[in-house]
Amino acid sequence: MDSLLLILMLIAVLGVGSQWIAWKFRLPAIVVMSIAGLLAGPIFGLMNPEEAFGDLYRPLISIAVAIILFEGSLNLNFKEVKGLGKPVFRIVTWGAFLAWIFGSLTAHYVAGLSWAIAFVVGGIFIVTGPTVILPLLRQSKLKPTPAKILKWEGVIVDPFGALLAVFAFEFLLFLLADGRDATALLFFLLASLFAVVLGVVFGKVTGWMFETGHMPEFLKSPAVFAAVTACFIIADEVKHETGLLAVTAMGMTLANLGISSIKDMRHFKENISILLISTVFILLTASLTMDTLMDVFQPKIIGYVLLMLFVVRPLSIFLSTINSGLSLQEKTLVGWIAPRGIVALTVASYFATILADEGFEGASLVTPLTFALVFSTVVVHGFSIGWLAKKLNLSAEGKPGVLIVGSNSFTNSLAKVMKELDIPTVVVDSSWDQLYSARKAGVQHKHCEILSEQTEYKTDFTPYDYLLTATEYDSYNALVCSTFLPEFGRKNVFRLPNQSHSGDHLVNIDHTIGGREVFTPSMGVEELKYKLNSGYVLRKTSLTERYSYENYMKDRDKETVLLFVLKQSKQIEFFTEELESTAIAGDTIVSLTPPSKEFHKIREKLEVKRNEKG
């Protein structure tokens, strides 16, 4: 394929298409992207991006990796790691050091690399990185402790792996070459310190401009993009590979400044990051040659990969986390999951060229060795993380749960029915008085302000796939829904309709704001509470082959309020005015049903008695 435009189109289609296939069929996205790149590149020969882009190939990938790493570091708020400081510190220091030593020994004795190349490769392979870890965490839904540890390790160790490889290379040149002094090593250390300072300065200046109004809203995202690129390039021009350290420092600085626009920044960068990860994986795998793929099957490379998977990584984690407070299950999971990604591939390809130019024997093995480890870890860890997490009871993935905002008689009754149906449910409210009825009903509840930044770090939202806002305030419901749209997705965010009699009524609210209105017929929280007080009950109706959804709709009382359907697959389908239900045999319909005639007779008799006594 000769046309650069066609190649760009194919890269975008394969990258985003791979992400969609992975989402649709619940597959590891990085595995699908790697296979797509291999099929389009070395296997079918549709394109070779490295040849097509020429001198622009490496700079484009470097900037993309910098932006991805910056996006990952934007999530590294120190409040999040509270209580996990000890294991995280141990893993990113002692764990990384042990992985370097053990990996280097394995590369020398098993893969047959010289000591010089082995220590450089050992430094490269301590990285896991946000390009592979974040998609896996997004897909696997781990419990908070292992998820936070893997995320922090991936983002922090990523730049240090590249720097360690550079340090090993410079140190070995110093030892092996005649006439060299320690100037190069000193310059490397000073350049690394400069990169950290540069990142902190860029982060603080960016945060100051945003908070003091020196940057208009419409320029904030482009300004961040430009600042990240500048920060990376300036540091990288001083010393190669220190740019990654600079953007990590910049992202962490912004994450911990507490600026109000950090969430918007994260959402924008996350979208950019997903697009970049998709395209860069295709670029790298499609640029490999058939010779590289064939070299992967050498016995010494296969042996090296197996030892890295089953010995080096687990041993490094278990030794570095002794007396760290982690459970055996957490150590096992963290010790197994270490997929290598874009940073390993890009840094290794850079050093393969440099080492060959310096005349080191065995430099030709660096690229196939790197690809073998990257592809093996991506496939093995991508497919095993969910299964292993469930076996170790570290998975938060189960039946889709519901997060209900607002405690009142209706939401507590709804949560109680969901609990009976074994649906994970929690009712949150900022008022202890409102939560009193939730405690009496025996439903799971949490006292917090859902919009508070503290709640984000103290509350695990992983088990909940749906959000329902049902407070007495229409504007608050709409605000909560709009805030959590990026986390839950538009189709999973619901709110009760606006209350016509409420002083907080939102007139002509745009349909794109505040989530979808829920239940059929739609009515506000006060009406639902009134119906409950009038004798309405929440009823569960199971559908069968004989009693279908059509039968149910014919038989139901016209005053019935349809709430949701619990599918056989345990998915929840809320009733809305604009969507038709797809309930079938085996599903359960939950509704708010009018009281029976007998109930009305008993109530009338009680009222008569009260009047007689009066």
Side-chain angles (χ1 to χ4, degrees):
M1 191 179 290
D2 297 325
S3 171
L4 191 58
L5 285 176
L6 282 175
I7 290 175
L8 285 169
M9 180 203 73
L10 187 59
I11 290 169
V13 169
L14 288 175
V16 177
S18 298
Q19 291 272 14
W20 182 84
I21 289 170
W23 166 78
K24 186 70 176 175
F25 298 102
R26 298 181 66 80
L27 298 170
I30 46 181
V31 175
V32 181
M33 289 185 287
S34 299
I35 293 172
L38 290 175
L39 290 173
I43 295 177
F44 291 117
L46 297 177
M47 62 176 176
N48 187 324
E50 188 170 9
E51 289 181 2
F53 286 97
D55 293 339
L56 286 175
Y57 177 76
R58 292 190 187 282
L60 286 174
I61 289 179
S62 296
I63 291 173
V65 171
I67 293 169
I68 293 165
L69 198 56
F70 171 74
E71 189 271 325
S73 61
L74 270 182
N75 295 295
L76 299 184
N77 193 301
F78 292 121
K79 295 174 185 174
E80 182 188 68
V81 81
K82 191 175 182 181
L84 292 175
K86 194 174 183 181
V88 167
F89 177 77
R90 292 266 200 90
I91 288 170
V92 301
T93 52
W94 288 110
F97 177 75
L98 291 172
W100 178 40
I101 299 301
F102 295 152
S104 302
L105 293 172
T106 307
H108 176 71
Y109 287 111
V110 179
L113 300 179
S114 65
W115 280 115
I117 297 179
F119 273 95
V120 171
V121 166
I124 296 170
F125 291 160
I126 70 169
V127 305
T128 52
T131 60
V132 282
I133 280 294
L134 296 182
L136 282 186
L137 294 180
R138 199 179 293 121
Q139 167 208 341
S140 58
K141 297 180 73 170
L142 300 181
K143 286 186 176 178
T145 297
K148 288 174 183 177
I149 288 173
L150 288 170
K151 182 176 78 174
W152 274 76
E153 181 199 12
V155 178
I156 294 294
V157 175
D158 218 34
F160 284 111
L163 290 173
L164 194 56
V166 176
F167 173 76
F169 178 69
E170 295 286 353
F171 187 70
L172 288 165
L173 286 180
F174 168 69
L175 290 178
L176 298 174
D178 295 329
R180 287 182 183 253
D181 56 26
T183 306
L185 284 177
L186 180 62
F187 178 72
F188 166 74
L189 295 173
L190 289 174
S192 300
L193 179 62
F194 169 74
V196 173
V197 173
L198 183 71
V200 171
V201 170
F202 263 81
K204 285 189 175 292
V205 170
T206 304
W208 175 79
M209 291 185 72
F210 283 14
E211 284 298 276
T212 54
H214 286 81
M215 185 65 65
E217 288 296 325
F218 73 94
L219 274 182
K220 282 185 177 179
S221 293
V224 172
F225 184 86
V228 171
T229 306
C231 182
F232 169 76
I233 291 173
I234 292 169
D236 219 55
E237 284 295 308
V238 173
K239 182 64 182 174
H240 196 63
E241 301 301 342
T242 59
L244 298 179
L245 186 61
V247 295
T248 303
M250 179 182 173
M252 289 183 68
T253 302
L254 279 169
N256 290 278
L257 284 177
I259 61 176
S260 56
S261 52
I262 190 71
K263 276 196 172 183
D264 295 334
M265 203 184 303
R266 280 181 193 147
H267 295 324
F268 170 76
K269 288 297 169 190
E270 185 177 11
N271 293 335
I272 293 291
S273 180
I274 289 172
L275 179 62
L276 291 175
I277 289 171
S278 305
T279 53
V280 171
F281 255 100
I282 301 295
L283 280 169
L284 290 170
T285 50
S287 298
L288 295 170
T289 63
M290 283 303 295
D291 290 338
T292 300
L293 292 185
M294 292 299 102
D295 286 340
V296 164
F297 298 101
Q298 293 183 40
K300 59 184 180 181
I301 291 182
I302 294 173
Y304 171 80
V305 169
L306 290 175
L307 282 174
M308 289 292 287
L309 282 170
F310 294 101
V311 178
V312 172
R313 169 67 178 186
L315 190 60
S316 303
I317 294 299
F318 271 85
L319 289 177
S320 64
T321 55
I322 294 172
N323 296 326
S324 65
L326 293 183
S327 67
L328 179 62
Q329 291 86 346
E330 289 165 344
K331 290 180 183 179
T332 302
L333 183 65
V334 174
W336 172 244
I337 301 301
R340 278 66 168 188
I342 292 171
V343 172
L345 280 171
T346 53
V347 176
S349 62
Y350 165 75
F351 275 107
T353 306
I354 298 297
L355 290 166
D357 292 342
E358 291 285 339
F360 285 98
E361 190 178 346
S364 59
L365 278 178
V366 173
T367 300
L369 193 72
T370 305
F371 177 72
L373 186 63
V374 168
F375 190 74
S376 300
T377 53
V378 159
V379 172
V380 173
H381 295 155
F383 280 109
S384 65
I385 185 171
W387 172 83
L388 183 61
K390 288 176 183 175
K391 289 290 182 183
L392 296 173
N393 196 29
L394 294 174
S395 174
E397 187 171 15
K399 297 176 181 178
V402 182
L403 174 67
I404 302 175
V405 181
S407 176
N408 51 63
S409 57
F410 170 72
T411 56
N412 294 328
S413 299
L414 181 64
K416 192 171 183 179
V417 169
M418 288 180 170
K419 181 182 177 182
E420 292 168 1
L421 291 169
D422 204 21
I423 299 170
T425 310
V426 64
V427 177
V428 300
D429 203 299
S430 58
S431 167
W432 282 112
D433 292 337
Q434 293 286 81
L435 285 173
Y436 176 73
S437 57
R439 290 198 300 275
K440 280 184 66 178
V443 300
Q444 186 179 351
H445 58 278
K446 184 172 181 63
H447 177 258
C448 66
E449 171 49 65
I450 194 70
L451 295 175
S452 167
E453 185 183 359
Q454 297 299 320
T455 302
E456 184 179 345
Y457 303 115
K458 294 179 181 177
T459 306
D460 178 24
F461 293 131
T462 310
Y464 308 108
D465 296 78
Y466 305 94
L467 173 73
L468 171 63
T469 58
T471 72
E472 286 79 6
Y473 304 101
D474 297 333
S475 56
Y476 183 78
N477 293 340
L479 178 60
V480 171
C481 286
S482 297
T483 302
F484 285 93
L485 274 177
E487 280 79 9
F488 287 85
R490 189 170 296 277
K491 69 173 186 175
N492 294 335
V493 173
F494 302 91
R495 62 180 172 86
L496 290 183
N498 301 326
Q499 304 170 83
S500 58
H501 60 278
S502 169
D504 188 46
H505 177 52
L506 299 177
V507 181
N508 298 326
I509 184 172
D510 192 295
H511 71 281
T512 62
I513 296 175
R516 293 191 289 172
E517 292 189 352
V518 72
F519 306 149
T520 308
S522 60
M523 56 186 67
V525 66
E526 293 298 338
E527 293 172 87
L528 291 167
K529 286 161 59 178
Y530 175 78
K531 286 184 180 294
L532 273 179
N533 294 334
S534 302
Y536 277 63
V537 292
L538 286 159
R539 182 162 288 138
K540 305 184 287 281
T541 306
S542 298
L543 301 180
T544 63
E545 295 292 345
R546 289 189 174 185
Y547 191 70
S548 66
Y549 177 66
E550 288 72 21
N551 298 137
Y552 171 81
M553 294 299 285
K554 287 178 185 176
D555 295 346
R556 72 184 177 101
D557 191 294
K558 298 305 177 187
E559 295 297 316
T560 297
V561 181
L562 300 174
L563 303 179
F564 68 90
V565 178
L566 178 63
K567 310 289 286 183
Q568 263 186 314
S569 62
K570 304 306 177 185
Q571 295 292 320
I572 299 170
E573 186 181 89
F574 284 97
F575 282 98
T576 62
E577 293 285 4
E578 68 267 18
L579 289 179
E580 285 288 329
S581 175
T582 57
I584 58 173
D587 296 346
T588 302
I589 296 176
V590 176
S591 58
L592 186 62
T593 309
S596 62
K597 292 178 180 178
E598 288 75 13
F599 176 86
H600 282 298
K601 288 178 182 178
I602 294 170
R603 190 164 186 167
E604 286 172 4
K605 288 179 181 178
L606 289 172
E607 286 179 0
V608 169
K609 287 183 179 179
R610 282 199 202 98
N611 292 332
E612 288 175 352
K613 287 180 180 180

